[in-house]
């Protein structure tokens, strides 16, 4: 089980649990982790998924992009546990529960 946590932004401290995959976005109709208060987050912004035990971060062609280590995520990228990443103006990280 994994925990997606907001480190800074309008929902600071908010968490979501997931097992295999979670979609991040502004619209709760299509996003499991809804960040509606950040206007820089796209309706369906990014996805976290577990692939062979490794965590992957995928930008879903968002308008403002997803950043990992200060660099834009193009397609998908490996995401180490505990490393912060940015969607819109919200900083998030994934830990294990």
């Amino acid at each position: 089980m994994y925990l997606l946590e907001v480190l800074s932004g309008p929902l600071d401290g908010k968490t979501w649990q997931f097992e295999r995959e979670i979609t991040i976005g502004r619209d709760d109709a299509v996003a499991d982790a809804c960040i509606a208060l950040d206007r820089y987050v796209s309706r369906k912004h990014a996805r976290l998924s577990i692939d062979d035990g490794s965590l992957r971060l995928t930008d879903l062609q968002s308008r403002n992009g997803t950043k990992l280590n200060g660099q834009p995520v193009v397609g998908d990228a490996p995401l180490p546990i505990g490393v912060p990443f940015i969607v819109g103006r919200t900083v998030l990280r994934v830990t294990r529960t």
Side-chain angles (χ1 to χ4, degrees):
M1 186 75 75
Y2 296 88
L3 189 72
L4 174 63
E5 175 184 14
V6 177
L7 296 178
S8 74
L11 294 177
D12 191 13
K14 173 79 174 153
T15 61
W16 298 268
Q17 287 188 352
F18 69 103
E19 288 185 31
R20 302 198 46 79
E21 182 176 288
I22 190 168
T23 302
I24 303 163
R26 196 178 65 239
D27 183 348
D28 64 358
V30 294
D32 305 303
C34 182
I35 306 173
L37 298 175
D38 184 341
R39 63 187 179 111
Y40 293 94
V41 172
S42 295
R43 182 174 173 267
K44 194 172 180 183
H45 197 106
R47 180 180 303 119
L48 293 165
S49 56
I50 309 302
D51 183 27
D52 290 330
S54 298
L55 192 57
R56 309 251 351 138
L57 174 62
T58 306
D59 182 75
L60 300 175
Q61 299 178 341
S62 64
R63 175 171 284 187
N64 293 302
T66 302
K67 290 187 179 179
L68 175 61
N69 296 322
Q71 299 298 315
V73 173
V74 179
D76 70 349
L79 178 67
I81 297 290
V83 173
F85 63 97
I86 301 171
V87 296
R89 291 193 174 169
T90 301
V91 180
L92 303 135
R93 75 171 169 193
V94 175
T95 58
R96 289 186 188 266
T97 58

